[in-house]
Structures are given as C-alpha cells and as structure tokens.
Amino acid sequence: MQSHRGIAASTATAGSLVLLLLVTACGGGEDKGSAAKSGPTHVSATRAGVVAPAKVEVIADLAGCKVKIRTEADELREGVCHSEKGDWLITTFPQEKYKLTWLDAAAVYGGKYLVGTRWVVSAKPELLEQLRPRLGGTVQELKGTS
C-alpha cells in the first residue's frame, strides 16, 4: 500500500507527463486534410492532445474567449465567457456521474448542449456547431418539460 506521500508524488508525476504531452503535441505540422482548421492560438482539442477532463480555461481558449470562473465546487467547475461570436457557459466535472446528473437537471430547461467526457458547453446552437470540430464531443438536444 502506498503512503500519502507516494500517492501525491505519483499524481504529480502523472500530471507532469500529461502537461508534457500537451506541450509537445502542439508542435506538429498541419495536415492539409485536417477536419479542424486551427491557428497558432486555436488548436483543435484532438491535435493538442487534450484528453478528458478538459479544464474550463482550455475549452474557453478553444472557443476564443477569456473565461471568468463563477462556480468552483467539488462536483463541478463552471465558467462564463463572451466572445465576438457570443456567450458561452463551460462546465467541467471531476467524474462522469456528476455530468450525467447535471444533464438530467438541465433537461427540465431543454436546449442544445455540446457534451464531451466530463464537460458540457452551453451556447447558441450555431456556436456549438462551430466549436465542435475544435473541441470534439456531440451536440445533444435535451427536451424541456412543457
């Protein structure tokens, strides 16, 4: 059984490796047939090697806006941002079960959401479709109660 210090060191090492992968993944050349076009500041999640769970700040960068964190809780982290294209609500979750609970609650209101592994983005449907090639995920329509 590992001590708390051993677990913390393992976690720090794993985090460093993920960061290293993210940094080195951005150095590749452009594929002419790439489905997601990206510029130097807007790299697709797939090309950047972003793996779930993404951070609110990473998703905001891919959306082209600066985020303001409005909720910091054990179950979720939520930020809002505004770009020239529109407003975004970005929510990330430490576990998939929290995302599923959030989606169940949001179903009361209906609407379309861009949903990935442990994250959800809320915005106008056309903005979600524009972000999907860079971020991944699927657009899900939740039925509201009438």
Side-chain angles (χ1 to χ4, degrees):
M1 189 172 215
Q2 289 186 339
S3 68
H4 290 293
R5 185 174 289 161
I7 292 171
S10 296
T11 303
T13 301
S16 297
L17 289 173
V18 169
L19 181 59
L20 178 62
L21 287 172
L22 287 173
V23 170
T24 58
C26 293
E30 280 293 318
D31 291 339
K32 290 184 181 184
S34 175
K37 301 294 181 204
S38 57
T41 59
H42 297 290
V43 177
S44 76
T46 306
R47 286 188 43 102
V50 174
V51 292
K55 292 183 70 172
V56 171
E57 293 83 359
V58 171
I59 295 172
D61 186 52
L62 291 168
C65 61
K66 219 170 193 26
V67 71
K68 179 178 179 181
I69 301 298
R70 76 174 196 184
T71 304
E72 189 97 42
D74 291 340
E75 301 83 14
L76 62 86
R77 198 161 174 258
E78 187 173 72
V80 294
C81 61
H82 177 75
S83 72
E84 291 179 9
K85 294 180 180 181
D87 297 318
W88 309 82
L89 176 64
I90 302 163
T91 310
T92 60
F93 308 89
Q95 295 179 23
E96 190 71 8
K97 68 180 182 178
Y98 296 123
K99 179 191 82 178
L100 297 174
T101 301
W102 188 95
L103 286 169
D104 283 345
V108 172
Y109 304 102
K112 289 187 177 183
Y113 301 85
L114 182 57
V115 180
T117 305
R118 297 198 270 183
W119 56 264
V120 175
V121 176
S122 306
K124 292 180 182 176
E126 61 271 11
L127 294 176
L128 297 177
E129 287 296 340
Q130 291 173 15
L131 182 59
R132 197 171 71 72
R134 283 185 260 153
L135 188 57
T138 57
V139 174
Q140 293 184 14
E141 183 165 3
L142 304 178
K143 302 292 180 191
T145 57
S146 307

